[in-house]
Amino acid sequence: MEMKKIKMLFFLLLSLGIIAGCNTTENNSDKIQVTTTIGMIADIVKNVGGDLVEVNGLMGPGVDPHLYKASQGDIAKLENADIIFYNGLNLEGKMNDIFVKMARTTPTYAVTEKIDKKYLLDDPENPDHIDPHLWFNVELWMSAVEVVRDAMIEQDPENKDDYTKNAEAYLKELADLHEYVKAQVATVPEESRVLVTAHDAFGYFGNAYGFEVMGLQGLSTDSEFGLKDIKHLVDVLENRNIKAVFIETSISDESIKALVEGAKKRDHQVSIGGELFSDAMGEPGTEEGTYIGMVKHNIDTIVSALK
Ligand SMILES: [Zn+2]
């Protein structure tokens, strides 16, 4: 009898312990927990998942994904996720090992995984690498929406209709956005369609919408820029009579300011045309805190500075 009581007490404590454990490490919500890296992917999941998901984006406004290292808190968010989405193509270069590890226990998807190789751009400075900044070709980024939609259906087939319907509505908005960008670009004289920024984030943008793009740093902010790069770009600004260059929100403006100063010394006036969202979106709750808002902000800023 005594032994039975002890056993019961033991099981009671055990179950209490498990419940308490769940409460501290997992979310109480019955929504599907999705953890993502860059804001643009979090935005897709919010649009496709709607009320069915709770999204934890690891990289907020102003965060540079190339240099980003996961904190202990991030690891917990990844471990507690039901589904994980990241960009891939080495964008989150310091987290590659983590995704390999997470994929063993949690459904983990790179949103760029289904894109036909023929649409991917090479890194001109590093033939082994592919340019990961796909989101600035809105049409290509639509395939990331399809990856998220298909993954959500795979993991939660019961709500297939909702994911399908939500994705369809979002894809329609993105198709309109693609047309908007094209129409805006058409207002800039062809010879002025040159985009100079801090790093090479706009290759897909240039490719899709007919802009020549140049960055002071390469595809990853991992590399340093030098005086030689500045001199070369100042030459280009002068020869091509380029009026404006652009700052990026997730990168120090030091390099772009050095460029403007370099041009000034040669009596070529270049202004800072504004701030572009390259690898991170704006503050949550603002228009630029969404993918559509950020793309619109960028193209409106570029067009008003260059036309
Ligand atoms: Zn980048």
PDB file of all heavy atoms in Angstrom, residues 64-66 91 131-133 135-136 199-202 218-221 248 250-251 278-280, ligand 1:
ATOM      1  N   ASP A  64      22.277  42.239 -40.745  1.00  0.00           N
ATOM      2  CA  ASP A  64      22.990  41.744 -41.926  1.00  0.00           C
ATOM      3  C   ASP A  64      23.079  40.213 -41.869  1.00  0.00           C
ATOM      4  O   ASP A  64      23.773  39.668 -41.014  1.00  0.00           O
ATOM      5  CB  ASP A  64      24.403  42.364 -41.920  1.00  0.00           C
ATOM      6  CG  ASP A  64      25.248  41.893 -43.087  1.00  0.00           C
ATOM      7  OD1 ASP A  64      24.843  40.935 -43.785  1.00  0.00           O
ATOM      8  OD2 ASP A  64      26.315  42.481 -43.303  1.00  0.00           O
ATOM      9  N   PRO A  65      22.352  39.511 -42.747  1.00  0.00           N
ATOM     10  CA  PRO A  65      22.320  38.045 -42.668  1.00  0.00           C
ATOM     11  C   PRO A  65      23.655  37.373 -42.970  1.00  0.00           C
ATOM     12  O   PRO A  65      23.925  36.271 -42.471  1.00  0.00           O
ATOM     13  CB  PRO A  65      21.279  37.647 -43.715  1.00  0.00           C
ATOM     14  CG  PRO A  65      21.216  38.788 -44.659  1.00  0.00           C
ATOM     15  CD  PRO A  65      21.522  40.020 -43.847  1.00  0.00           C
ATOM     16  N   HIS A  66      24.508  38.037 -43.770  1.00  0.00           N
ATOM     17  CA  HIS A  66      25.791  37.410 -44.135  1.00  0.00           C
ATOM     18  C   HIS A  66      26.663  37.180 -42.909  1.00  0.00           C
ATOM     19  O   HIS A  66      27.438  36.236 -42.853  1.00  0.00           O
ATOM     20  CB  HIS A  66      26.573  38.297 -45.109  1.00  0.00           C
ATOM     21  CG  HIS A  66      25.841  38.615 -46.355  1.00  0.00           C
ATOM     22  ND1 HIS A  66      25.652  37.698 -47.359  1.00  0.00           N
ATOM     23  CD2 HIS A  66      25.227  39.749 -46.769  1.00  0.00           C
ATOM     24  CE1 HIS A  66      24.966  38.273 -48.341  1.00  0.00           C
ATOM     25  NE2 HIS A  66      24.690  39.511 -48.006  1.00  0.00           N
ATOM     26  N   LEU A  91      23.331  32.579 -48.062  1.00  0.00           N
ATOM     27  CA  LEU A  91      23.027  33.928 -47.544  1.00  0.00           C
ATOM     28  C   LEU A  91      23.328  33.995 -46.052  1.00  0.00           C
ATOM     29  O   LEU A  91      23.999  34.905 -45.587  1.00  0.00           O
ATOM     30  CB  LEU A  91      21.551  34.294 -47.768  1.00  0.00           C
ATOM     31  CG  LEU A  91      21.159  35.640 -47.153  1.00  0.00           C
ATOM     32  CD1 LEU A  91      21.662  36.803 -48.009  1.00  0.00           C
ATOM     33  CD2 LEU A  91      19.662  35.757 -46.930  1.00  0.00           C
ATOM     34  N   ASP A 131      24.697  34.048 -56.292  1.00  0.00           N
ATOM     35  CA  ASP A 131      24.134  35.249 -55.674  1.00  0.00           C
ATOM     36  C   ASP A 131      22.853  34.870 -54.935  1.00  0.00           C
ATOM     37  O   ASP A 131      21.913  34.355 -55.544  1.00  0.00           O
ATOM     38  CB  ASP A 131      23.854  36.269 -56.797  1.00  0.00           C
ATOM     39  CG  ASP A 131      23.367  37.601 -56.263  1.00  0.00           C
ATOM     40  OD1 ASP A 131      22.947  37.662 -55.088  1.00  0.00           O
ATOM     41  OD2 ASP A 131      23.403  38.570 -57.038  1.00  0.00           O
ATOM     42  N   PRO A 132      22.800  35.106 -53.616  1.00  0.00           N
ATOM     43  CA  PRO A 132      21.608  34.671 -52.856  1.00  0.00           C
ATOM     44  C   PRO A 132      20.475  35.689 -52.804  1.00  0.00           C
ATOM     45  O   PRO A 132      19.405  35.378 -52.292  1.00  0.00           O
ATOM     46  CB  PRO A 132      22.171  34.465 -51.440  1.00  0.00           C
ATOM     47  CG  PRO A 132      23.287  35.451 -51.324  1.00  0.00           C
ATOM     48  CD  PRO A 132      23.852  35.643 -52.728  1.00  0.00           C
ATOM     49  N   HIS A 133      20.671  36.921 -53.336  1.00  0.00           N
ATOM     50  CA  HIS A 133      19.693  38.015 -53.120  1.00  0.00           C
ATOM     51  C   HIS A 133      18.518  37.969 -54.088  1.00  0.00           C
ATOM     52  O   HIS A 133      18.185  38.959 -54.747  1.00  0.00           O
ATOM     53  CB  HIS A 133      20.394  39.369 -53.253  1.00  0.00           C
ATOM     54  CG  HIS A 133      21.581  39.542 -52.359  1.00  0.00           C
ATOM     55  ND1 HIS A 133      22.848  39.173 -52.742  1.00  0.00           N
ATOM     56  CD2 HIS A 133      21.685  40.018 -51.107  1.00  0.00           C
ATOM     57  CE1 HIS A 133      23.697  39.443 -51.752  1.00  0.00           C
ATOM     58  NE2 HIS A 133      23.023  39.943 -50.749  1.00  0.00           N
ATOM     59  N   TRP A 135      15.324  37.987 -53.792  1.00  0.00           N
ATOM     60  CA  TRP A 135      14.053  38.668 -53.528  1.00  0.00           C
ATOM     61  C   TRP A 135      13.862  39.946 -54.329  1.00  0.00           C
ATOM     62  O   TRP A 135      12.749  40.451 -54.408  1.00  0.00           O
ATOM     63  CB  TRP A 135      13.879  38.934 -52.023  1.00  0.00           C
ATOM     64  CG  TRP A 135      15.050  39.596 -51.376  1.00  0.00           C
ATOM     65  CD1 TRP A 135      15.251  40.944 -51.223  1.00  0.00           C
ATOM     66  CD2 TRP A 135      16.185  38.956 -50.789  1.00  0.00           C
ATOM     67  NE1 TRP A 135      16.435  41.175 -50.580  1.00  0.00           N
ATOM     68  CE2 TRP A 135      17.031  39.978 -50.298  1.00  0.00           C
ATOM     69  CE3 TRP A 135      16.579  37.624 -50.632  1.00  0.00           C
ATOM     70  CZ2 TRP A 135      18.254  39.705 -49.664  1.00  0.00           C
ATOM     71  CZ3 TRP A 135      17.781  37.362 -50.007  1.00  0.00           C
ATOM     72  CH2 TRP A 135      18.601  38.384 -49.526  1.00  0.00           C
ATOM     73  N   PHE A 136      14.927  40.483 -54.946  1.00  0.00           N
ATOM     74  CA  PHE A 136      14.732  41.715 -55.711  1.00  0.00           C
ATOM     75  C   PHE A 136      14.324  41.492 -57.154  1.00  0.00           C
ATOM     76  O   PHE A 136      14.134  42.433 -57.901  1.00  0.00           O
ATOM     77  CB  PHE A 136      15.963  42.620 -55.605  1.00  0.00           C
ATOM     78  CG  PHE A 136      16.034  43.261 -54.260  1.00  0.00           C
ATOM     79  CD1 PHE A 136      17.165  43.196 -53.483  1.00  0.00           C
ATOM     80  CD2 PHE A 136      14.904  43.901 -53.744  1.00  0.00           C
ATOM     81  CE1 PHE A 136      17.194  43.767 -52.232  1.00  0.00           C
ATOM     82  CE2 PHE A 136      14.924  44.481 -52.488  1.00  0.00           C
ATOM     83  CZ  PHE A 136      16.078  44.411 -51.730  1.00  0.00           C
ATOM     84  N   HIS A 199      26.885  47.153 -51.193  1.00  0.00           N
ATOM     85  CA  HIS A 199      27.297  45.789 -51.530  1.00  0.00           C
ATOM     86  C   HIS A 199      26.396  45.244 -52.639  1.00  0.00           C
ATOM     87  O   HIS A 199      25.360  45.804 -52.949  1.00  0.00           O
ATOM     88  CB  HIS A 199      27.374  44.894 -50.286  1.00  0.00           C
ATOM     89  CG  HIS A 199      26.129  44.134 -49.936  1.00  0.00           C
ATOM     90  ND1 HIS A 199      24.925  44.731 -49.669  1.00  0.00           N
ATOM     91  CD2 HIS A 199      25.915  42.800 -49.793  1.00  0.00           C
ATOM     92  CE1 HIS A 199      24.030  43.803 -49.376  1.00  0.00           C
ATOM     93  NE2 HIS A 199      24.593  42.619 -49.444  1.00  0.00           N
ATOM     94  N   ASP A 200      26.832  44.162 -53.246  1.00  0.00           N
ATOM     95  CA  ASP A 200      26.185  43.665 -54.465  1.00  0.00           C
ATOM     96  C   ASP A 200      24.871  42.930 -54.200  1.00  0.00           C
ATOM     97  O   ASP A 200      24.730  41.765 -54.542  1.00  0.00           O
ATOM     98  CB  ASP A 200      27.137  42.705 -55.187  1.00  0.00           C
ATOM     99  CG  ASP A 200      28.191  43.444 -55.990  1.00  0.00           C
ATOM    100  OD1 ASP A 200      27.931  44.598 -56.380  1.00  0.00           O
ATOM    101  OD2 ASP A 200      29.265  42.872 -56.237  1.00  0.00           O
ATOM    102  N   ALA A 201      23.895  43.619 -53.617  1.00  0.00           N
ATOM    103  CA  ALA A 201      22.640  42.944 -53.286  1.00  0.00           C
ATOM    104  C   ALA A 201      21.615  43.017 -54.416  1.00  0.00           C
ATOM    105  O   ALA A 201      20.578  42.370 -54.347  1.00  0.00           O
ATOM    106  CB  ALA A 201      22.045  43.549 -52.024  1.00  0.00           C
ATOM    107  N   PHE A 202      21.897  43.816 -55.456  1.00  0.00           N
ATOM    108  CA  PHE A 202      20.837  44.130 -56.411  1.00  0.00           C
ATOM    109  C   PHE A 202      21.045  43.512 -57.794  1.00  0.00           C
ATOM    110  O   PHE A 202      20.512  43.990 -58.782  1.00  0.00           O
ATOM    111  CB  PHE A 202      20.661  45.656 -56.500  1.00  0.00           C
ATOM    112  CG  PHE A 202      20.151  46.246 -55.208  1.00  0.00           C
ATOM    113  CD1 PHE A 202      21.028  46.697 -54.229  1.00  0.00           C
ATOM    114  CD2 PHE A 202      18.784  46.303 -54.957  1.00  0.00           C
ATOM    115  CE1 PHE A 202      20.550  47.212 -53.026  1.00  0.00           C
ATOM    116  CE2 PHE A 202      18.300  46.818 -53.755  1.00  0.00           C
ATOM    117  CZ  PHE A 202      19.181  47.274 -52.789  1.00  0.00           C
ATOM    118  N   GLY A 218      31.502  42.979 -52.296  1.00  0.00           N
ATOM    119  CA  GLY A 218      30.967  41.894 -53.117  1.00  0.00           C
ATOM    120  C   GLY A 218      29.586  41.448 -52.664  1.00  0.00           C
ATOM    121  O   GLY A 218      28.855  42.191 -52.014  1.00  0.00           O
ATOM    122  N   LEU A 219      29.243  40.222 -53.012  1.00  0.00           N
ATOM    123  CA  LEU A 219      27.922  39.677 -52.697  1.00  0.00           C
ATOM    124  C   LEU A 219      27.712  39.493 -51.213  1.00  0.00           C
ATOM    125  O   LEU A 219      26.616  39.621 -50.701  1.00  0.00           O
ATOM    126  CB  LEU A 219      27.754  38.311 -53.357  1.00  0.00           C
ATOM    127  CG  LEU A 219      27.554  38.308 -54.844  1.00  0.00           C
ATOM    128  CD1 LEU A 219      27.381  36.880 -55.301  1.00  0.00           C
ATOM    129  CD2 LEU A 219      26.352  39.133 -55.232  1.00  0.00           C
ATOM    130  N   SER A 220      28.790  39.169 -50.512  1.00  0.00           N
ATOM    131  CA  SER A 220      28.700  39.038 -49.074  1.00  0.00           C
ATOM    132  C   SER A 220      29.419  40.228 -48.474  1.00  0.00           C
ATOM    133  O   SER A 220      30.401  40.710 -49.032  1.00  0.00           O
ATOM    134  CB  SER A 220      29.360  37.758 -48.594  1.00  0.00           C
ATOM    135  OG  SER A 220      29.393  37.761 -47.183  1.00  0.00           O
ATOM    136  N   THR A 221      28.914  40.705 -47.335  1.00  0.00           N
ATOM    137  CA  THR A 221      29.580  41.819 -46.667  1.00  0.00           C
ATOM    138  C   THR A 221      30.794  41.320 -45.895  1.00  0.00           C
ATOM    139  O   THR A 221      31.466  42.084 -45.225  1.00  0.00           O
ATOM    140  CB  THR A 221      28.607  42.503 -45.688  1.00  0.00           C
ATOM    141  OG1 THR A 221      28.049  41.491 -44.854  1.00  0.00           O
ATOM    142  CG2 THR A 221      27.498  43.197 -46.455  1.00  0.00           C
ATOM    143  N   GLU A 248      22.536  51.400 -47.767  1.00  0.00           N
ATOM    144  CA  GLU A 248      21.684  50.253 -47.414  1.00  0.00           C
ATOM    145  C   GLU A 248      21.454  50.235 -45.908  1.00  0.00           C
ATOM    146  O   GLU A 248      22.381  50.498 -45.144  1.00  0.00           O
ATOM    147  CB  GLU A 248      22.359  48.944 -47.854  1.00  0.00           C
ATOM    148  CG  GLU A 248      22.513  48.842 -49.357  1.00  0.00           C
ATOM    149  CD  GLU A 248      23.390  47.657 -49.748  1.00  0.00           C
ATOM    150  OE1 GLU A 248      23.254  46.582 -49.156  1.00  0.00           O
ATOM    151  OE2 GLU A 248      24.229  47.835 -50.645  1.00  0.00           O
ATOM    152  N   SER A 250      21.112  47.854 -43.798  1.00  0.00           N
ATOM    153  CA  SER A 250      21.748  46.827 -42.972  1.00  0.00           C
ATOM    154  C   SER A 250      23.272  46.888 -43.023  1.00  0.00           C
ATOM    155  O   SER A 250      23.955  45.999 -42.534  1.00  0.00           O
ATOM    156  CB  SER A 250      21.247  45.431 -43.393  1.00  0.00           C
ATOM    157  OG  SER A 250      21.350  45.270 -44.780  1.00  0.00           O
ATOM    158  N   ILE A 251      23.806  47.973 -43.653  1.00  0.00           N
ATOM    159  CA  ILE A 251      25.260  48.098 -43.797  1.00  0.00           C
ATOM    160  C   ILE A 251      25.677  49.515 -43.417  1.00  0.00           C
ATOM    161  O   ILE A 251      24.956  50.469 -43.689  1.00  0.00           O
ATOM    162  CB  ILE A 251      25.672  47.818 -45.266  1.00  0.00           C
ATOM    163  CG1 ILE A 251      25.298  46.386 -45.616  1.00  0.00           C
ATOM    164  CG2 ILE A 251      27.154  48.044 -45.483  1.00  0.00           C
ATOM    165  CD1 ILE A 251      25.692  45.985 -46.986  1.00  0.00           C
ATOM    166  N   SER A 278      18.062  46.422 -48.313  1.00  0.00           N
ATOM    167  CA  SER A 278      18.666  45.402 -49.166  1.00  0.00           C
ATOM    168  C   SER A 278      18.450  44.012 -48.567  1.00  0.00           C
ATOM    169  O   SER A 278      17.659  43.228 -49.072  1.00  0.00           O
ATOM    170  CB  SER A 278      20.150  45.683 -49.377  1.00  0.00           C
ATOM    171  OG  SER A 278      20.827  45.837 -48.148  1.00  0.00           O
ATOM    172  N   ASP A 279      19.108  43.723 -47.443  1.00  0.00           N
ATOM    173  CA  ASP A 279      19.039  42.375 -46.862  1.00  0.00           C
ATOM    174  C   ASP A 279      18.141  42.307 -45.632  1.00  0.00           C
ATOM    175  O   ASP A 279      18.028  41.259 -45.009  1.00  0.00           O
ATOM    176  CB  ASP A 279      20.441  41.897 -46.481  1.00  0.00           C
ATOM    177  CG  ASP A 279      21.324  41.683 -47.710  1.00  0.00           C
ATOM    178  OD1 ASP A 279      20.838  41.918 -48.831  1.00  0.00           O
ATOM    179  OD2 ASP A 279      22.480  41.286 -47.548  1.00  0.00           O
ATOM    180  N   ALA A 280      17.527  43.439 -45.268  1.00  0.00           N
ATOM    181  CA  ALA A 280      16.607  43.457 -44.124  1.00  0.00           C
ATOM    182  C   ALA A 280      15.468  44.410 -44.437  1.00  0.00           C
ATOM    183  O   ALA A 280      15.655  45.385 -45.165  1.00  0.00           O
ATOM    184  CB  ALA A 280      17.339  43.904 -42.859  1.00  0.00           C
TER     185      ALA A 280
HETATM  186 ZN    ZN B   1      23.631  40.829 -49.051  1.00  0.00          ZN
END
